[in-house]
Amino acid sequence: MKLSGMRTYLAGAMDRVADGGIGWRSRITPILKAMGVTVLNPCDKPANVGVEDEKTRNNIESFKKTGRFDKIRKNYGVIRTLDLRCVDISDFIIALIDTDVHACGTYEEISVANSQKKPVLIWCRQGKEKAPNWLFFMLPHQHIFGSLSELLEYLVNIDTGRDTNHYK
């Protein structure tokens, strides 16, 4: 209802997690689509450009191991460009933070969305109280959740009009 027609980008680690970041995104996507939200998923890009999959990660690791660092940006820098473009065209961002996983791009995507004054909703896998301090400096604490179910409940409340707080 209220979220219908909006776009969200799903930010979260991909290159340092066993499933490439696919699992949580595939769980949340049908729920968001049922609300009428267009989901921009970096694990499921509509074109075969800027895809970050297992093959891509293996190629990058090979370049690192063989010292061919110049090839990484040249061949795969488009991944960053396209992912940040998805942030640009999104209405809000959903990000998974797992403090056990280093997530470089995720923090850039969160920062870009925040600088664009877009709502950024964080799910911290270890619990809200374990979320990095910097996120509490950046975002309203009401947008940081300790579980996926809490985040989804918040979205349902926004979608149905039960939650009308905007947190600037």
Side-chain angles (χ1 to χ4, degrees), residues 10-54:
L10 303 180
M14 293 171 61
D15 66 327
R16 295 172 187 251
V17 292
D19 71 351
I22 294 170
W24 76 273
R25 289 176 173 96
S26 62
R27 286 196 312 272
I28 196 172
T29 294
I31 298 164
L32 293 164
K33 286 184 175 184
M35 292 182 207
V37 175
T38 298
V39 176
L40 302 173
N41 179 349
C43 295
D44 186 23
K45 291 183 176 154
N48 199 20
V49 176
V51 175
E52 183 181 349
D53 57 14
E54 187 174 351

Side-chain angles (χ1 to χ4, degrees), residues 9 20 23 31 41 66 84 86-87 92 97 101-102 122 131 138 153:
Y9 176 72
I31 298 164
N41 179 349
T66 59
L84 290 176
C86 287
V87 171
F92 66 101
I97 298 297
V101 177
H102 182 75
I122 304 290
M138 288 178 70
E153 180 182 350

